Amino acid sequence: MKPGDKIRVLRVPPPVEQETPEEVLLLFRRCVGQVLRIEAIDEHGHLELYVREDGTQAPDCLHHMIWIEPEHVEPVS
């Protein structure tokens, strides 16, 4: 996977489920099943995604920016 690729979010990562404020957790839950574009990949391999409040693709980081590990997504052709 690389920036610009499309992915589908499969699940909320367990640490997010257990340790994240409710508002952020709800945002991650809305992303499950959505097809999103990878904006960047950090030095740990986490995928940077820009999302709207409803979990759909946002055009820029002025909405929400989340990071997710690649094992919680699948590539979309």
Side-chain angles (χ1 to χ4, degrees):
M1 288 184 270
K2 63 186 181 315
D5 286 356
K6 301 265 183 177
I7 54 89
R8 178 175 289 107
V9 178
L10 298 175
R11 64 181 103 23
V12 177
V16 173
E17 286 279 3
Q18 299 162 2
E19 305 166 8
T20 305
E22 188 68 20
E23 180 179 315
V24 176
L25 176 57
L26 290 174
L27 181 62
F28 268 85
R29 286 181 178 162
R30 289 185 205 113
C31 292
V32 173
Q34 298 291 341
V35 174
L36 303 167
R37 182 181 56 249
I38 299 171
E39 300 298 334
I41 301 175
D42 74 6
E43 65 275 4
H44 304 290
H46 298 110
L47 311 177
E48 179 180 340
L49 310 173
Y50 297 161
V51 298
R52 293 186 171 104
E53 191 65 35
D54 65 0
T56 61
Q57 179 69 55
D60 53 42
C61 64
L62 297 177
H63 291 77
H64 297 282
M65 178 176 54
I66 63 170
W67 295 90
I68 191 166
E69 296 89 344
E71 60 265 24
H72 303 294
V73 306
E74 67 180 0
V76 174
S77 326

